[in-house]
Amino acid sequence: YDSSLVAGDIKRKDIKAVGIPATKLANEMGASKLANMILVGTMLKATGIADIKVVESALAKVIPAKKTDMLELNLNCVKKGME
């Protein structure tokens, strides 16, 4: 969850909640609209649900070739979330 937006700790014990200040980090990276990609990276690290190469391939398919800067920025945000 985005701890920049959600105050307090998650009290439920039946789930694993990982708080990361995604909005704050995205703003620091100059990518204010990509907090969701930081959360994707956090989810990848916490769950191992997919490899970064799978995400990279998927993003390359949906982001137009003429917007390679956006592809790089999205990937950088995912990697930031994995730190």
Side-chain angles (χ1 to χ4, degrees), residues 60-81:
K61 288 179 183 176
V62 297
I63 296 174
K66 63 183 177 183
K67 300 224 177 207
T68 56
D69 58 322
M70 287 306 297
L71 175 59
E72 184 177 337
L73 188 55
N74 274 267
L75 287 173
N76 287 340
C77 287
V78 171
K79 290 174 183 173
K80 185 68 164 177

Side-chain angles (χ1 to χ4, degrees), residues 23-75:
T23 298
K24 179 179 180 259
L25 292 170
N27 286 334
E28 289 172 359
M29 294 177 71
S32 62
K33 297 187 188 273
L34 294 178
N36 61 324
M37 298 310 290
I38 292 174
L39 291 168
V40 167
T42 302
M43 182 187 71
L44 291 175
K45 182 179 180 186
T47 66
I49 196 166
D51 186 82
I52 185 69
K53 294 292 183 189
V54 172
V55 175
E56 186 174 348
S57 175
L59 288 173
K61 288 179 183 176
V62 297
I63 296 174
K66 63 183 177 183
K67 300 224 177 207
T68 56
D69 58 322
M70 287 306 297
L71 175 59
E72 184 177 337
L73 188 55
N74 274 267
L75 287 173

